[in-house]
Amino acid sequence: MKSELQKGSRSRVLARLMFIIMAVFIARLFFLQIVQHDYYVGLADKEQIKRLTIPAKRGLIYALDGNTPVEMVMNETVYTVFADPSVTTNDSKIVDTIRQIAGGNARPNLDGLLRDKNSRYQVLATKITRAQADMIKAVGLKGVGFQENSQRVYPEGGLAAQVLGFLDYNGVGQYGVEGKLNDRLTGTDGMLQSVTDVSDVPLTIGNNNIKKPAINGENIVLSIDRNVQSHVEQALADGLKRTGATNASAIVMDPQTGKIMAMANLPSYKPGDINSVTDVSVFNNPIVSAPYEPGSDMKTLTMAVGIDKGVVTPTSTYNNLGYMDIDGIRVLNGVGLDHFGNITLQTAMDHSLNSGFITVAERLGDGSNITLQARNTMYDYFYNKFELGKLTGVEVTGEQPGTVIPPSDPQGNAVRYSNMAFGQGLDVTMLQVASAFSSIVDGGVYHQPTVIAGTVDGNGKYKPAAALPTHMSVSKSTADQVREMTHVTRNTLFSRSDMPGYEIGGKTGTSQTLINGNYNNNQTVGTYLGYGGNDTPRYVIMIQVSGKGMSLEGGRDAQPIFADISNWMLGYLRVQPKG
Amino acid sequence: MSYQNTTQFSSRRQQNWSRNQNTVAFISSVKLGPVAHTVLVALMITVLGLIYLTQATKATSYDYQSQKIDSQIADLNTKKSDLEVENARLTALESVKNSSVASTMTTPASTNYVR
């Protein structure tokens, strides 16, 4: 039998041809599958594998209600309703439905938006709630879609606005705690890399799937007590009405921990409605961001320096002439304060006589001059021990350090330090002064001020924050003497303002403001700095009222606000009277 | 059906006599040719392939179920968050102050403390 594949036969030619074709195929497949393997795998992965971001939830911000955290800033899911006008059919029904359900969140010219048939995307309503979205979905409107968004909501409205801050359009925290603790609140987005189907549903097939869970932002609990904050804001509003001032600020601190229970400024704003704000300065928190010359509140600290250095006591006397001459410059007491002659420093404190505290400064030196040694001592206490002129580290944005000029500076001369003794010639913030005074009230222990009380974990459990470091500003004996001096001072002038049976102390401050480099008596800032409690002080309150071109006084204008808040605090904290 | 003796499968153990055990083995008279073997192998490969496919599809169907459950969880979480927001709004100080209960409350005239 003759072989089919004998040499030169057609079958043999065909077999060779097939072999060549197969060889070409194999070579091509080798090139595609082996040589270009990575390239085509890459293309396939690009087509099939999707990288999806798992967004981290921004942390909530809580305040306290007594000892219980309550939500102040939350996240809410809202929806944007959009339409594809080229697809929609029953436009009038869409318009009626959206207007009826979305109400004020609907765009004004819905008819016009839907008439634009060349457009594929028109927003019909924004920020509608889930319930509203469900109602619109139930109607089954053709060509209408929904986009889910998350926004911050503020159940308490404008309460503590300047402490909280807000989010900008990019979701980044601005001002307040939102700005300062943006990183802690933001968290870290997660990632899901997976083979997906045409509907982007992740599938478990494939070897390159990655799931990295999102780390949600921290839920932060503020030390702000919403009840105290609310009362303080109301008291400030009442105070502005009473005095006619345009600006008022108040801070309430727990002197035993440094925790800020309330921090309020007027005018203010609503974080959920920042578009209506016309003056962006209301976003600032002047308590931390506006250093000023604190005036006579500083006398408590000057007195503390003198007692702590052992050069004076509350009963030390001096001859009050109504003025003091320092390096040829006459520094006057306030107009009409009198009490001339040989008086005690307690009397000087009671009637806020500048001469008494310049005397303390002199006695820190050689007894009759504010020497370099005296200035160094004062600077050491003010700057290093009372932390004036430094950032406190409080957890809100915009904090300014202020300025306490050191004796080494040519401007840190005796005249300046004589002024500093009664609260002029240095720029400090209300928070710095209130924190320094708190250390006096708490037996000399300086607590770093904070607005953070703790955190709430994912299960809703509240975890209090660790205590911040402390240091002694003055000895306990010194602190107790100065505290008692302020108690006596308050009883001398304002005892009738207080509920009987409690220990309330305080000091007025009326400071001139600098206008074009000169002190102006016609524009003064009124402050009151005090504390309250029974045997144990429970709170420190500092009030400031001001207004352009207004002469405001600590005793007349700020003190009544202090009394309002102080008396309310005694009831709120259930402080029992002494005895 | 007829059988014939074979020695092909006789093991050493079977070669030894032991009580109550068969001492003979049988082979079938039906013989499978190469085509039948090929078909059987092809069938086995097909069955294995089908098993693989059903398992692969099953895994994917779990993906869809999982996705559906994830979606439900997300939906319920969103509803929970919305209810928490509503709860916070209803218990906010302004809401409480303006409530009908608050409007009928009075300020105490005096306070006594139990010691």
Side-chain angles (χ1 to χ4, degrees), chain A residues 262-340:
Chain A
M263 183 152 58
N265 304 281
L266 290 180
S268 185
Y269 68 101
K270 290 187 174 176
D273 189 22
I274 54 171
N275 291 329
S276 64
V277 172
T278 52
D279 177 9
V280 292
S281 68
V282 297
F283 294 150
N284 294 325
N285 183 349
I287 290 172
V288 301
S289 67
Y292 76 115
E293 300 193 36
S296 298
D297 298 334
M298 273 294 292
K299 289 171 182 167
T300 55
L301 304 185
T302 304
M303 193 67 209
V305 178
I307 294 174
D308 209 50
K309 292 306 286 183
V311 297
V312 291
T313 68
T315 53
S316 298
T317 57
Y318 77 104
N319 185 23
N320 175 32
L321 301 172
Y323 63 86
M324 298 284 279
D325 289 324
I326 309 292
D327 287 356
I329 293 177
R330 180 156 290 186
V331 183
L332 302 171
N333 287 344
V335 178
L337 294 179
D338 299 338
H339 294 87
F340 301 114

Side-chain angles (χ1 to χ4, degrees), chain A residues 491-508:
Chain A
N491 279 348
T492 305
L493 299 173
F494 305 113
S495 61
R496 281 184 297 177
S497 302
D498 301 327
M499 288 204 292
Y502 297 98
E503 183 182 318
I504 314 293
K507 179 73 192 78
T508 55

Side-chain angles (χ1 to χ4, degrees), chain A residues 59-387:
Chain A
L60 309 186
I61 301 176
Y62 294 75
L64 290 174
D65 185 349
N67 292 316
T68 310
V70 288
E71 296 94 343
M72 289 286 279
V73 185
M74 305 177 79
N75 301 316
E76 185 181 40
T77 307
V78 290
Y79 296 84
T80 299
V81 188
F82 63 89
D84 180 349
S86 67
V87 176
T88 56
T89 49
N90 194 346
D91 289 359
S92 60
K93 190 179 177 186
I94 293 173
V95 171
D96 290 344
T97 306
I98 300 291
R99 278 192 185 143
Q100 194 181 343
I101 297 173
N105 292 330
R107 288 284 168 89
N109 58 337
L110 292 175
D111 296 297
L113 295 172
L114 291 171
R115 265 199 303 274
D116 185 3
K117 295 295 178 187
N118 292 324
S119 168
R120 299 297 307 271
Y121 182 82
Q122 291 289 359
V123 173
L124 305 181
T126 55
K127 296 184 178 180
I128 66 165
T129 63
R130 181 185 186 80
Q132 288 172 312
D134 286 344
M135 287 165 73
I136 297 171
K137 282 177 191 169
V139 178
L141 303 169
K142 191 182 174 192
V144 173
F146 299 84
Q147 191 176 348
E148 196 176 294
N149 305 303
S150 180
Q151 71 170 14
R152 288 297 233 189
V153 286
Y154 306 86
E156 299 288 349
L159 194 72
Q162 287 141 334
V163 179
L164 298 176
F166 55 87
L167 295 193
D168 65 15
Y169 288 108
N170 298 317
V172 179
Q174 301 290 340
Y175 296 92
V177 174
E178 290 271 28
K180 186 77 174 182
L181 303 182
N182 186 56
D183 291 343
R184 283 175 66 183
L185 287 163
T186 303
T188 309
D189 286 346
M191 192 259 286
L192 177 64
Q193 178 179 293
S194 169
V195 176
T196 61
D197 70 0
V198 288
S199 306
D200 281 347
V201 174
L203 305 174
T204 48
I205 56 175
N207 299 321
N208 297 321
N209 293 354
I210 299 170
K211 185 173 184 182
K212 187 180 159 198
I215 301 168
N216 291 334
E218 273 187 88
N219 300 318
I220 290 171
V221 182
L222 303 181
S223 58
I224 300 291
D225 185 309
R226 69 169 178 176
N227 301 300
V228 180
Q229 181 76 25
S230 175
H231 187 81
V232 166
E233 290 185 8
Q234 186 58 52
L236 286 183
D238 294 344
L240 286 187
K241 260 188 218 167
R242 201 165 43 234
T243 60
T246 54
N247 298 73
S249 299
I251 181 168
V252 181
M253 293 179 71
D254 179 348
Q256 294 167 50
T257 61
K259 290 197 164 75
I260 296 166
M261 300 158 82
M263 183 152 58
N265 304 281
L266 290 180
S268 185
Y269 68 101
K270 290 187 174 176
D273 189 22
I274 54 171
N275 291 329
S276 64
V277 172
T278 52
D279 177 9
V280 292
S281 68
V282 297
F283 294 150
N284 294 325
N285 183 349
I287 290 172
V288 301
S289 67
Y292 76 115
E293 300 193 36
S296 298
D297 298 334
M298 273 294 292
K299 289 171 182 167
T300 55
L301 304 185
T302 304
M303 193 67 209
V305 178
I307 294 174
D308 209 50
K309 292 306 286 183
V311 297
V312 291
T313 68
T315 53
S316 298
T317 57
Y318 77 104
N319 185 23
N320 175 32
L321 301 172
Y323 63 86
M324 298 284 279
D325 289 324
I326 309 292
D327 287 356
I329 293 177
R330 180 156 290 186
V331 183
L332 302 171
N333 287 344
V335 178
L337 294 179
D338 299 338
H339 294 87
F340 301 114
N342 208 33
I343 61 168
T344 64
L345 289 173
Q346 177 67 61
T347 304
M349 179 77 87
D350 295 345
H351 301 283
S352 203
L353 307 175
N354 295 342
S355 55
F357 300 91
I358 297 173
T359 300
V360 174
E362 286 180 341
R363 292 186 186 177
L364 287 166
D366 60 10
S368 53
N369 293 290
I370 304 175
T371 60
L372 180 61
Q373 179 196 331
R375 284 177 270 148
N376 280 333
T377 303
M378 288 173 73
Y379 181 79
D380 180 43
Y381 273 86
F382 289 167
Y383 188 77
N384 295 320
K385 297 185 175 176
F386 289 124
E387 305 280 336

